[in-house]
Amino acid sequence: MTDKTLENQDRRKVLKDALGVGAIAAGLTTAPNLLFPALAQGERLVPFTDEVSDAFSWRPIEANTTHWQDTREINSFFTNNEDFYLVQHYGQPTIDNDAYRLRVTGMVDNELDLSLRDLQNGDVIEQQVGFECGGNSQRLLYGLIGNANWRGRTLNSILEQAGIQEGAKEVVFFAEDVATEEIRGREVEKAFARSMSIDDAMRPENMLAFEMNGEPLPHYHGKPVRLLVPGWYGVANVKWINQIHVQDTRYMGRFMGRDYVTLKRSNVGGVERWVENSVTTMNLKSAIVRVIADNAQHRIQGFVLNDGTPIESVEIKIDDGPWQRAELNPRNTKYSWKLFQYTWSNASAGEHTIVSRVTDIKGNVQPTNDELPEKVSFWEDFGQFPRRVTI
Ligand SMILES: Nc1nc2c(c(=O)[nH]1)N[C@H]1C(S)=C(S)[C@@H](COP(=O)(O)O)O[C@H]1N2
Ligand SMILES: [Mo]
């Protein structure tokens, strides 16, 4: 991308912000939405009659707040940048594009100090990636979720340029946002950071994204550059990234060792144990987000998120009926969210319970809440999510 286009895009963004227009990346509004159109004339949303917690109210984006999507309103394959959920634990730092540097340090042959331009002049890819926060919950109607088209530099091209040294084990990603945390009675300044093994870091799909849905990465989503680890929970996608450090020890930090850690009962070589794990790949999950009524017909729509393993089927169960196959949106890609729809003919008047379950080609089936491993944490909620509607 040339300076000129970047400059123009920034100007367009400023203009849009000034006008307060709900901005949508050019072109995406007109893209066909094969199975997930906005409501047409004569169609209406069927309200869910199960209890929706008070926590669920749609809020506009404000600085330094969490934002979730009203999943009942999902009507496009890509989430508008302004609707895409927001989570950040240490506020939202502002980084000037011209002053931006990404340093690569530690066990590498060549330490690097890269500008935004350096990142843009290299192995750049475009990829559809959807993800959710590891703390996403049924209470929020799974609103900590989004799907976008991203453009950025492959992470492995940067690591290869730096040259990882023999004996290195871990890659740490540090961000610009810092906070003072009290740890054992002492106040220390800590930056947001996450880490992964060298093998995980070298996966060809990992990218340092600088564009989201055709626009320069928005401030709230990590301007100018964020890490994207397709197939992983959102916490891996370090925003405002400013340093990549290679080391031969495990990185310990709040977001690896204390938060985003699931404690669950597991079988460890034949022994029942309580085990902690840092959240990594997304568990196989589907959820119904809305039901549309169109005269006598009803359509049940929802999403799937997972680690990128191809999907075998999504099935819907109505009351005590059999599992029946839903249709998968042909636009779904490996790491995008996967939208589905089920046409519910002859729905009888009255109350119904509807639920979805997804199966991948390896035979993994989304469990019911009761079948989930026993765990002491709200992280990684992926059980089936029954909903109630009145027809
Ligand atoms: N620098 C930084 N990156 C971060 C975080 C953060 O607090 N600071 N939060 C993480 C978490 S927990 C999530 S779920 C995703 C959310 O990304 P989004 O706000 O662009 O949707 O960003 C991740 N990256
Ligand atoms: Mo998160």
Side-chain angles (χ1 to χ4, degrees):
M1 176 182 288
T2 64
D3 281 342
K4 194 93 203 122
T5 49
L6 247 188
E7 195 184 289
N8 284 342
Q9 289 194 355
D10 279 339
R11 191 171 308 133
R12 213 173 60 204
K13 177 100 179 69
V14 168
L15 207 91
K16 249 175 358 202
D17 287 349
L19 293 171
V21 175
I24 295 161
L28 292 173
T29 38
T30 51
N33 261 308
L34 299 172
L35 291 174
F36 247 55
L39 291 183
Q41 223 181 350
E43 293 180 338
R44 62 181 178 84
L45 275 186
V46 179
F48 291 111
T49 51
D50 44 26
E51 202 175 301
V52 173
S53 85
D54 294 342
F56 200 88
S57 63
W58 185 86
R59 287 185 303 169
I61 289 181
E62 286 164 35
N64 297 327
T65 58
T66 299
H67 167 79
W68 51 85
Q69 227 197 318
D70 187 337
T71 47
R72 296 165 297 191
E73 302 283 312
I74 292 176
N75 64 8
S76 63
F77 187 70
F78 292 118
T79 313
N80 296 335
N81 291 357
E82 286 67 21
D83 292 333
F84 204 104
Y85 86 95
L86 285 174
V87 170
Q88 51 284 307
H89 297 274
Y90 293 161
Q92 296 163 326
T94 304
I95 304 177
D96 180 66
N97 282 7
D98 294 330
Y100 178 74
R101 309 303 294 182
L102 174 65
R103 298 177 60 224
V104 184
T105 56
M107 295 180 70
V108 292
D109 295 334
N110 320 295
E111 296 209 328
L112 305 176
D113 185 354
L114 305 167
S115 67
L116 180 56
R117 190 94 35 85
D118 294 333
L119 286 172
Q120 290 167 337
N121 291 330
D123 185 21
V124 168
I125 55 170
E126 205 170 302
Q127 218 175 182
Q128 300 175 8
V129 182
F131 57 88
E132 65 171 339
C133 178
N136 205 7
S137 70
Q138 300 186 349
R139 193 176 62 92
L140 294 179
L141 303 181
Y142 286 138
L144 297 175
I145 186 178
N147 186 54
N149 191 41
W150 311 83
R151 218 167 142 262
R153 177 75 178 267
T154 55
L155 175 65
N156 64 7
S157 69
I158 301 286
L159 293 174
E160 271 157 20
Q161 188 182 335
I164 293 178
Q165 292 178 346
E166 187 107 347
K169 290 200 174 80
E170 185 109 326
V171 184
V172 193
F173 305 92
F174 290 98
E176 181 87 1
D177 46 330
V178 291
T180 304
E181 297 218 11
E182 199 190 300
I183 301 174
R184 289 180 212 135
R186 171 95 191 257
E187 294 204 327
V188 292
E189 191 152 275
K190 296 280 288 174
F192 182 88
R194 280 276 299 187
S195 72
M196 59 180 68
S197 70
I198 305 279
D199 278 355
D200 283 335
M202 289 302 286
R203 289 166 67 228
E205 52 269 58
N206 295 337
M207 66 200 286
L208 295 163
F210 44 75
E211 266 185 42
M212 179 178 185
N213 289 330
E215 290 190 342
L217 194 64
H219 169 217
Y220 296 147
H221 293 288
K223 173 186 172 282
V225 181
R226 80 180 302 170
L227 177 65
L228 274 183
V229 185
W232 287 40
Y233 280 110
V235 68
N237 300 327
V238 177
K239 307 194 266 190
W240 309 288
I241 187 171
N242 64 14
Q243 186 181 4
I244 298 175
H245 188 74
V246 181
Q247 60 188 43
D248 63 1
T249 52
R250 229 187 97 196
Y251 170 77
M252 309 283 286
R254 175 176 158 194
F255 299 98
M256 293 303 296
R258 298 205 299 283
D259 282 344
Y260 292 87
V261 170
T262 306
L263 171 60
K264 62 172 178 278
R265 197 194 281 276
S266 313
N267 182 307
V268 182
V271 185
E272 279 265 307
R273 295 184 188 278
W274 283 95
V275 175
E276 279 108 340
N277 70 275
S278 172
V279 310
T280 55
T281 52
M282 285 186 281
N283 290 285
L284 180 64
K285 163 198 271 184
S286 73
I288 291 169
V289 297
R290 65 181 190 173
V291 178
I292 292 172
D294 175 11
N295 298 320
Q297 254 202 3
H298 292 79
R299 301 201 306 279
I300 298 174
Q301 302 180 327
F303 73 86
V304 168
L305 279 173
N306 77 334
D307 60 2
T309 305
I311 300 305
E312 169 63 33
S313 67
V314 175
E315 296 161 299
I316 303 288
K317 189 161 85 163
I318 297 162
D319 302 320
D320 295 323
W323 286 105
Q324 305 195 65
R325 265 184 190 251
E327 207 180 335
L328 283 159
N329 189 325
R331 288 184 68 174
N332 298 339
T333 56
K334 185 170 185 193
Y335 291 116
S336 73
W337 64 15
K338 290 127 190 84
L339 301 182
F340 65 82
Q341 175 167 284
Y342 173 78
T343 305
W344 182 8
S345 310
N346 310 318
S348 59
E351 274 232 281
H352 297 280
T353 301
I354 57 178
V355 67
S356 67
R357 81 168 175 199
V358 55
T359 302
D360 70 17
I361 60 158
K362 292 181 184 158
N364 298 308
V365 183
Q366 182 184 10
T368 62
N369 278 328
D370 288 344
E371 292 163 351
L372 284 174
E374 191 183 344
K375 62 186 175 79
V376 188
S377 79
F378 62 89
W379 310 112
E380 302 187 73
D381 228 342
F382 60 99
Q384 293 171 21
F385 186 23
R387 308 300 312 272
R388 288 189 73 72
V389 284
T390 304
I391 299 299

